[in-house]
Amino acid sequence: MTELEKGPQGRRRGRGARERILSASQQLFRDQGINRTGMDQLCAAAQVSKRTAYQHFTSKDELVAEYLRRFDPDVMPGVFDRTDLTPRERLLAAFEIPASTPLCPYIAAAVELHDPQHPASQYARDYKTAIAARLTETAREAGAANPEQLGEQLALLIDGASARTRVLNSESFPTAAAVAAVLIDNAIPASPPRQPSDDRGTTGSAPVPVGGQ
């Protein structure tokens, strides 16, 4: 038989309180910010008691950190783990962000919390480090002369486009993608030109003039 609990308004609910709490946090934190969202409001939205909430999350800080983890637990697998794209194409795919995507939640949390030791701030740093590492790894696969530099440049572009999109309320990722393409082309050596070949399939030999002249 399904285990039941009583919510704050006396309504009986099945299992899934943790998911309801996280769902409510995603909505409220995004719409009104982390600091303006109190646990009372969050519990009411999730239809759980505060006692239940603190059974799943020992503090609001822990809840905020888990809220961030839910956004992208595997660090953009839909981009970096694609086998149908070349490494260069995967680098550009990192800029294919839907226009409806809000300001990066990791940036938003770090800016709002003002505490580098907060669990969410620490997780945001870890995530941003992981993004740069995956960009660097992919740049290395693509043959970049300095993959670490290209990875950091592209990570900076992604964050800048996200923040600019939010501040100006206009799409900045297409421009960022165009800049990224230039950086990538400059960082990855061009393939050597193909050598001409004669009818016998030899390469690099000079044509022989008619009459041997």
Side-chain angles (χ1 to χ4, degrees):
M1 185 174 181
T2 303
E3 178 184 342
L4 298 175
E5 64 168 328
K6 280 192 175 183
Q9 298 174 357
R11 288 174 285 189
R12 295 175 71 81
R13 297 287 170 184
R15 283 179 174 170
R18 179 183 178 85
E19 293 303 317
R20 293 201 307 278
I21 295 167
L22 284 168
S23 178
S25 71
Q26 288 181 320
Q27 181 70 38
L28 293 172
F29 291 163
R30 183 183 66 238
D31 291 349
Q32 63 187 33
I34 294 170
N35 291 335
R36 292 181 59 193
T37 300
M39 287 301 292
D40 287 337
Q41 181 187 16
L42 199 149
C43 289
Q47 296 184 334
V48 299
S49 65
K50 288 183 72 173
R51 178 175 178 273
T52 296
Y54 285 116
Q55 286 176 340
H56 290 283
F57 303 96
T58 58
S59 66
K60 182 182 175 183
D61 290 350
E62 181 183 329
L63 172 59
V64 175
E66 183 61 23
Y67 150 79
L68 291 180
R69 289 189 192 97
R70 286 299 185 95
F71 278 97
D72 190 10
D74 297 320
V75 190
M76 294 179 70
V79 171
F80 294 115
D81 293 342
R82 290 183 62 175
T83 58
D84 59 320
L85 300 179
T86 66
R88 182 185 185 280
E89 289 170 339
R90 292 201 297 273
L91 290 174
L92 289 173
F95 292 83
E96 295 175 0
I97 307 297
S100 59
T101 302
L103 171 65
C104 171
Y106 309 97
I107 297 175
V111 170
E112 185 176 2
L113 293 172
H114 300 295
D115 180 5
Q117 301 306 315
H118 191 286
S121 296
Q122 294 176 357
Y123 183 78
R125 284 197 301 275
D126 291 342
Y127 179 83
K128 291 301 181 181
T129 300
I131 285 288
R134 297 216 70 178
L135 287 166
T136 296
E137 177 186 354
T138 307
R140 184 174 291 109
E141 292 177 21
N146 189 337
E148 290 79 10
Q149 176 177 292
L150 180 59
E152 286 295 331
Q153 289 172 335
L154 297 180
L156 180 61
L157 264 180
I158 291 172
D159 288 342
S162 179
R164 190 170 178 81
T165 295
R166 176 64 174 266
V167 172
L168 299 181
N169 194 28
S170 63
E171 185 53 48
S172 297
F173 276 96
T175 300
V179 176
V182 174
L183 289 172
I184 292 168
D185 287 342
N186 289 340
I188 299 175
S191 300
R194 295 181 59 186
Q195 298 295 325
S197 60
D198 61 17
D199 292 340
R200 292 169 298 178
T202 58
T203 60
S205 58
V208 178
V210 176
Q213 301 176 356

